[in-house]
Amino acid sequence: MHAWSLLSNMEDRFYASNEGYPDSLGFHYAYDSGVANHLRVAAGDLVVVRSSRTIYGVSRIDAIDKAEGIKVRFRCPQCQRTDFVERKVEKPTYLCRSCRHLFDASIRSEERVMQYTANYGASWRVLGDEISVDDLEPLLSGSKQNAIRGCKIDGLKLLLEREHVCIVTEPNLDRPRLVGGHREALVRVRNGQAGFREELRRRYGWNCLITGSCPEDVLEAAHLRAFAVHATHNPDEGVFLRADIHRLFDRGLVAVDPKTMTVVVAPKLARFSDYQALQGKSVAPGPYISALADHHRETASAWVTEMTSA
Ligand SMILES: [Zn+2]
């Protein structure tokens, strides 16, 4: 059993050269076979999820899903590296951080990869200021650039004890699957879909279908139908969703009624005014209607059952 430091996309991993890794903080961590240590991470391992500046929380991995995929990458036309960033105002649009080349058009490449999703939601504990990156750093091995770094497990346990943070000792392998099966597959985000994200941006701008205009950093390109089954990025069945809305949608707590094209919010969320305020909000019609209808049928029918049996 091991412990790992996982660098999450919230601040650090969002580069222009790929579409960003579709992590869902507190829920799952996504990586692929291009990442160091990808074969060593296993169910039952302890993980610290963090940015370069902040420790978000700790957990234990429940399960790891894997699937073959294509990773689309964009490269600097001069040095072929992928470490370039988008400039918000100035032109040319991109700056290569490796060779300092400035350019408007990057080179597109496709690579076969294995894509992994480490699910760690069952034991997730949010950390505030209890543990700093400076506390953690002496326990870590490997380059600071690596997304996944080994962590001394005994040292981590001491650190957690010091702060009275308790993580379940055994992995919760037979947890109730809140997000199981079909519903999880309905909205499946995969990395390596830069083209898909770009097409959604072209169609809808940086707008969450449910909440409207958002910073691009919190928008996730969501497949409304099972990507795992069809393995195609059909933009007609994709939308941007704000990360938290995506999670709620994923878990069947927010849906869109296709008859009225308005947002419906599960009774379970009634006490959260920010989410409740979305109830009845109009949603623009689009090619995604039939996919939304299927999701609505699946999710909203379960709410009725809950209320009837209560
Ligand atoms: Zn370059």
Side-chain angles (χ1 to χ4, degrees):
M1 196 162 294
H2 294 92
W4 306 97
S5 156
L6 306 179
L7 198 59
S8 184
N9 66 346
M10 313 305 283
E11 300 159 37
D12 301 287
R13 293 172 80 199
F14 206 89
Y15 295 130
S17 58
N18 59 47
E19 70 124 18
Y21 291 75
D23 295 350
S24 192
L25 188 62
F27 178 53
H28 66 241
Y29 183 79
Y31 53 99
D32 62 45
S33 46
V35 172
N37 293 318
H38 68 273
L39 285 176
R40 299 185 60 211
V41 179
D45 288 353
L46 282 177
V47 291
V48 181
V49 185
R50 54 164 304 184
S51 71
S52 62
R53 293 173 287 281
T54 314
I55 308 287
Y56 298 124
V58 290
S59 197
R60 191 179 285 285
I61 295 176
D62 304 309
I64 296 176
D65 297 329
K66 69 176 197 175
E68 276 182 39
I70 301 282
K71 183 175 189 171
V72 176
R73 306 201 79 181
F74 294 92
R75 297 177 178 280
C76 165
Q78 183 162 287
C79 72
Q80 314 288 313
R81 294 205 178 97
T82 57
D83 186 23
F84 61 86
V85 290
E86 187 172 348
R87 308 197 300 165
K88 296 297 172 197
V89 182
E90 296 154 289
K91 299 285 164 189
T93 310
Y94 299 109
L95 164 68
C96 176
R97 299 207 289 201
S98 298
C99 73
R100 314 306 293 177
H101 184 50
L102 292 166
F103 55 97
D104 278 317
S106 56
I107 297 173
R108 186 178 190 278
S109 70
E110 291 188 358
E111 295 158 23
R112 280 204 162 277
V113 291
M114 192 61 82
Q115 298 170 325
Y116 300 87
T117 305
N119 299 287
Y120 61 80
S123 313
W124 175 244
R125 288 289 311 267
V126 173
L127 292 178
D129 301 329
E130 294 99 327
I131 298 177
S132 72
V133 292
D134 294 334
D135 288 333
L136 190 68
E137 188 56 38
L139 304 176
L140 303 183
S141 54
S143 161
K144 282 191 180 185
Q145 309 300 317
N146 289 349
I148 302 178
R149 299 172 70 193
C151 176
K152 287 186 186 133
I153 192 162
D154 293 336
L156 178 62
K157 282 179 173 169
L158 282 176
L159 211 51
L160 294 174
E161 267 170 38
R162 191 191 79 190
E163 300 302 332
H164 310 291
V165 176
C166 176
I167 295 291
V168 290
T169 49
E170 294 303 319
N172 186 6
L173 295 175
D174 51 16
R175 71 198 189 284
R177 290 202 50 116
L178 288 174
V179 192
H182 179 56
R183 190 175 293 173
E184 181 177 37
L186 270 173
V187 180
R188 194 127 201 185
V189 181
R190 284 290 172 207
N191 55 358
Q193 44 176 332
F196 180 61
R197 188 177 171 88
E198 176 56 25
E199 176 60 21
L200 293 181
R201 187 198 61 78
R202 197 184 62 74
R203 292 184 181 201
Y204 309 122
W206 296 122
N207 288 295
C208 165
L209 178 73
I210 307 273
T211 62
S213 181
C214 280
E216 109 185 55
D217 311 69
V218 300
L219 287 174
E220 297 180 345
H223 289 276
L224 298 175
R225 288 191 201 279
F227 177 69
V229 175
H230 302 293
T232 56
H233 295 300
N234 181 357
D236 286 349
E237 294 178 344
V239 293
F240 280 128
L241 292 175
R242 201 174 73 193
D244 62 326
I245 300 295
H246 186 192
R247 180 99 62 91
L248 294 171
F249 193 91
D250 214 2
R251 296 192 173 186
L253 296 173
V254 166
V256 175
D257 184 333
K259 290 198 196 75
T260 57
M261 283 311 279
T262 57
V263 178
V264 287
V265 178
K268 198 176 164 183
L269 296 182
R271 63 197 177 88
F272 302 102
S273 56
D274 284 0
Y275 293 128
Q276 201 52 44
L278 298 171
Q279 177 79 32
K281 193 173 185 297
S282 287
V283 168
Y288 40 74
I289 288 181
S290 78
L292 284 175
D294 288 350
H295 174 265
H296 177 265
R297 193 161 50 240
E298 165 112 0
T299 55
S301 58
W303 303 345
V304 174
T305 312
E306 273 166 32
M307 287 195 293
T308 314
S309 62

